[in-house]
Amino acid sequence: MYEWLKFFHLGAGVIWLGGMALVILALRPVAIERLAPPDRLPLMTAVLSRFFLMVWLSIAVLLASGFWMLSGADMKLAPKGWHAMSGIGLLMCAIFAHIWFAPFRRLKAAVMAADWPTAGKALGQIQPLVLTNFALGWLAVAAVIIWR
């Protein structure tokens, strides 16, 4: 059972980190380079809408599998990397919740109203938060692998 939980836990993390890599390193730069705001902002909103639903599912799987795996461990004896990963993961969830309920909500409303300056501002607020979560995600991976 533990191996299956670990498999789903890792899969959810790969989906979240991989999606952030795609958006940060490929989609966003090309969209900025090739599309004007009236085309770029609806595209980014639609892509983020789908991706963010996958992130919510990933968070549910990560939290459920992570807490289940930790419940069978003596936390006093657990590797320090597990503690670090847990704390970093919870911070990432909080940052994502902020993205979803604040700038992403404003982005969707502005795109619906074709208010491109407001939509651009909201998307600009999402970018550094996603970069932060991307760095934190890799820090969590490094902590659990290196800090034993």
Side-chain angles (χ1 to χ4, degrees):
M1 177 72 150
Y2 180 85
E3 289 77 19
W4 281 106
L5 289 169
K6 190 173 182 180
F7 172 76
F8 287 114
H9 191 80
L10 291 171
V14 167
I15 288 170
W16 194 358
L17 278 174
M20 286 190 289
L22 174 72
V23 170
I24 294 166
L25 302 173
L27 178 63
R28 185 174 184 272
V30 171
I32 289 170
E33 179 184 308
R34 304 232 172 163
L35 300 172
D39 295 320
R40 176 176 65 242
L41 293 164
L43 171 69
M44 292 299 295
T45 303
V47 169
L48 290 177
S49 292
R50 288 182 181 216
F51 173 58
F52 286 171
L53 291 177
M54 294 181 348
V55 172
W56 278 120
L57 180 59
S58 293
I59 286 172
V61 170
L62 285 162
L63 292 176
S65 60
F67 286 127
W68 190 296
M69 289 187 292
L70 287 174
S71 71
D74 181 350
M75 290 308 289
K76 292 178 185 174
L77 301 175
K80 292 177 183 175
W82 288 16
H83 294 279
M85 178 181 57
S86 298
I88 293 167
L90 291 173
L91 176 60
M92 289 177 67
C93 292
I95 291 170
F96 177 72
H98 171 71
I99 291 169
W100 177 267
F101 290 110
F104 185 60
R105 182 174 282 177
R106 289 191 297 271
L107 172 64
K108 290 191 303 185
V111 166
M112 289 295 289
D115 180 355
W116 307 128
T118 301
K121 181 180 177 187
L123 190 59
Q125 293 168 337
I126 292 170
Q127 173 71 5
L129 296 169
V130 172
L131 285 171
T132 300
N133 259 1
F134 189 63
L136 287 171
W138 283 108
L139 186 61
V141 170
V144 79
I145 291 172
I146 296 168
W147 203 0
R148 295 190 167 261

